Every structure is written in structure tokens, then in C-alpha cells.
Amino acid sequence: MLYFAQVADSEGRAGMQTEEPRRRTARRPPDRKARIVAAASGLFRARGYHNVSLADVAAEVGITAPALYRHFRGKPDLLLHVVDSTVAVVAASVAAAPDLDSYLRAAASQAQDRRGAAVLWQREARHLPEDRRKEQRRALSAVAEGIGELIHADRPELDHAEIQLLAWAALSVFASISWHRTSLPRRRFEELLHRLAHAATHCPLGTGPAAGAEPAPGGYAALAMSRREEILVEAIRLFDERGFQSVSTDDIGEAAGATGPSIYKHFPTKTDLLVAAVVRGGEQRRAGTAQALSLPGAPRETVERLLRSYIDFVLSQRHLIGLLVGELDQLPEKERRGARQAQREYLALWVRLLDEVRPGLDPAEARITVIATLTVIDNAARTGTSGDHPNLAERLSEIGMAMLLT
């Protein structure tokens, strides 16, 4: 909505035979830039950066596209401001906290008011120019360092790698609600988020069994890959790093050392590459799930095995996880419905098993808990500093079980 003010000459002039007509002029509201950023944030979250035009944003605010250019040079500049403002809010919350629990409680409360914000810095920020993207990553790393300082004050016995892992876990708990619509009454939701983040940051570390061999990064290091496999691996990496719509078949061919005709021999279209990647992800997750459920044991043991199967899957397929998180909307309708249904069934399995461990747990709380736990794992695997953590699988298993049982 636009705001207008009437400007009139209030001074009467002696001797005037006619009265000048009052003129109506538009006064630019002082918060217009902030309103543009807020409107763009909502549209980018809902539709994706490439599916939103500046005209869409202008219409949402109630101004013309030329008026928007008074504030932003173009859509990339607007995206930069959107992402920067989102990260700045999180940074301010950390900076204002006198101690860890104060931060966790404040973040649990604020997360509901900016629900969906994490989509912007996890998915849409990939469309920033590389130098700006690096700046954004540094800003997020600074936020994690700030949370780490609060954790260190509570847990001085932990080393820097452990502290950073827990800091990113806390961020991931609050970010997790950006990716689903399950809700609770506000106070219950706030308390649940606080409990989950507290469980993650206060989880005892190093209490599990001795570490085994970590999965190979990417999951393909030991394979003698065919040309088709090489193309698919590079496509998955590029789709994760840049976003499906920002990657061309020429980009994929160059990365795989293949010519255009060579790609089309294996994948007629870029969309076929995306479909193949999603199908692969679903098959591998199902295989790990089936193995985890095939062994006898108490309900808690089954949950632990299922959690470890997911951790192993994520750590071996880091780029594929990024694609599954951010690019399902780019699938054709049939494949998109199938992928969404598979996700719902996987979540339902988790909720059912968790109910066996914690009988009577509210289903909505169970879903929020499971999604937060899986998001912590996803983000830890894809975050540079956390991804290099020694014994990462064991640490994530400890954090995950602490959250699931809180």
C-alpha cells in the first residue's frame, strides 16, 4: 500500500484574485526499501529466485518497477540485500545474547517470526555472484563462531571443532522449521525448539563406540566411473552448488570433460539428469533404511540404526543431499509428486518408530523433532568446517539421539 500526503500552500496572499489549486504529491514512505526487501524475501522463498521478476516484487509492494530501481540496481542487487538482511538478523540475535541459554531462548522465539528465512541463505544465496556468495558464507561462519563462543563459556572442555559442530547444530535446529509447515501453539513450539537446541548444544560427546571408517566424500571415490556416471556426478554437484536453473548442459559437459552430443546420448535433457539424481537418492536411502530395519532389537536400537543409516547416506552423498533439499520443485509434476510422497513416507516411518521409544509423544512434536534432527545432519555434512570434523558420523549420532530423546 502506498502512502500519500497532501501538500498545500497554507499562506494566503493578499491581493490574489484567484486561488491556486492544491496539488497532490506522493511522499515516498521512509520504510519503502525495507518493504521491498520484505516482499522480495517472501516471493523468493515461495517461488524461487529465477521465478520472480522485479515487476512481481514491485506489484507486491504497490509501486512501479521504475520506482524499485531507485533503491536497487537490479534483481541480483535485491537478492544480495535480502540475504544480507536475513543473516544480519541472526547475527544481531547472537551478539545481543549474554549467555548460551539466553541466545537459545531468544532464537526459539524469533524463529517462528522469520519462518522460512533459512531458505534464503541455504537455497537462494547460491544465485549470488561468487564473490558475494563467499561474503555470505563468511558472515554465516562469523555467526557460528559467535554461538561457539557462548558454547565455550558453558563447555570449556570441548575443542574448537566440537564447539563449531554444536554451533551449527543450534543454527540448524532453528533453520529446520523453514522447510516444513508443521506447527504448534506458539508457546509449545517455542519450548520445543529450545529443548531441541539445548539438547544439541549440551550433548555429551565422545561417549559412543570407537569410530569406524568414514564414508568417502561424494560416495564415488572408489568407483571406476563410466562416462554416464561422470556426467551425472558433475550434474549433481553443479545443481547443488549453483541451483538447477543456473546450470546449463554446457556447464555440465565442461565439468565432466564431455561434449554436448555425448551428454545427450545419455540424458536427452537437463531435466532427465535431475530426475536420475533424485531417483538415485531415493534408492540409496531406501536401501539403507531396509538394512537398518532388518535386524532385531529394541525400539531404541532400531531408531539408532535408522539414524546411523541416514548419517552414512548423507555423509556419502553431500551434493545429492543439497539437490534433494533445494531442487525438488524443478522436477516434472509426476516425479515431484513421487519424491514428495517418498519424503512423507520416510518421515512417517520415523514418527512411528519414535512413538515406540517415547509413547504418547504428540505427532506434530514428533515430526518437528525428526525434521530438526535430520536437518542438523544435512547441514553438518554440507558445512565446510563441520564436514571435516574427525569422527563426524559418531558425533552426529550422539547429537541426533540426544535430540530425538529430549
Side-chain angles (χ1 to χ4, degrees), residues 84-146:
D84 282 351
S85 65
T86 301
V87 176
V89 170
V90 182
S93 177
V94 176
D99 53 56
L100 177 60
D101 196 61
S102 296
Y103 163 68
L104 296 181
R105 290 195 178 278
S109 176
Q110 295 163 5
Q112 297 180 72
D113 297 325
R114 55 175 189 263
R115 190 169 188 172
V119 173
L120 297 169
W121 49 265
Q122 288 185 315
R123 187 186 72 190
E124 301 308 321
R126 295 175 301 170
H127 306 302
L128 291 170
E130 182 56 27
D131 59 336
R132 296 297 191 180
R133 180 74 177 106
K134 288 180 179 178
E135 289 179 12
Q136 187 260 340
R137 286 195 292 264
R138 285 194 292 269
L140 273 175
S141 294
V143 170
E145 288 288 347

Side-chain angles (χ1 to χ4, degrees), residues 67-288:
L68 191 148
Y69 278 100
R70 298 191 187 105
H71 301 280
F72 302 98
R73 293 188 298 273
K75 197 165 76 161
D77 185 42
L78 178 55
L79 176 61
L80 176 62
H81 280 78
V82 165
V83 174
D84 282 351
S85 65
T86 301
V87 176
V89 170
V90 182
S93 177
V94 176
D99 53 56
L100 177 60
D101 196 61
S102 296
Y103 163 68
L104 296 181
R105 290 195 178 278
S109 176
Q110 295 163 5
Q112 297 180 72
D113 297 325
R114 55 175 189 263
R115 190 169 188 172
V119 173
L120 297 169
W121 49 265
Q122 288 185 315
R123 187 186 72 190
E124 301 308 321
R126 295 175 301 170
H127 306 302
L128 291 170
E130 182 56 27
D131 59 336
R132 296 297 191 180
R133 180 74 177 106
K134 288 180 179 178
E135 289 179 12
Q136 187 260 340
R137 286 195 292 264
R138 285 194 292 269
L140 273 175
S141 294
V143 170
E145 288 288 347
I147 299 172
E149 291 176 6
L150 299 176
I151 295 173
H152 177 68
D154 269 19
R155 307 185 64 181
E157 75 280 5
L158 299 182
D159 63 30
H160 183 262
E162 292 169 331
I163 287 173
Q164 282 301 290
L165 179 59
L166 297 184
W168 282 104
L171 274 175
S172 297
V173 168
F174 302 125
S176 68
I177 69 172
S178 294
W179 300 96
H180 66 87
R181 297 180 180 178
T182 304
S183 193
L184 292 167
R186 184 178 180 91
R187 183 55 62 87
R188 282 180 57 199
F189 207 163
E190 182 178 326
E191 287 300 320
L192 176 58
L193 291 175
H194 174 261
R195 288 203 311 272
L196 291 170
H198 186 276
T201 53
H202 291 79
C203 168
L205 300 178
T207 60
E214 293 285 350
Y220 305 108
L223 297 178
M225 290 186 287
S226 66
R227 171 59 74 190
R228 184 182 190 279
E229 189 70 19
E230 290 174 345
I231 293 169
L232 184 57
V233 168
E234 291 303 323
I236 290 171
R237 179 181 66 81
L238 291 173
F239 291 160
D240 174 33
E241 291 177 350
R242 304 183 193 174
F244 177 76
Q245 294 189 45
S246 296
V247 176
S248 68
T249 53
D250 288 340
D251 295 330
I252 297 168
E254 180 180 356
T259 61
S262 176
I263 291 180
Y264 297 130
K265 182 171 66 175
H266 299 288
F267 302 96
T269 68
K270 190 174 72 166
T271 299
D272 290 316
L273 278 160
L274 181 62
V275 171
V278 172
V279 169
R280 161 173 289 176
E283 290 173 347
Q284 293 184 350
R285 190 175 67 181
R286 281 193 296 273

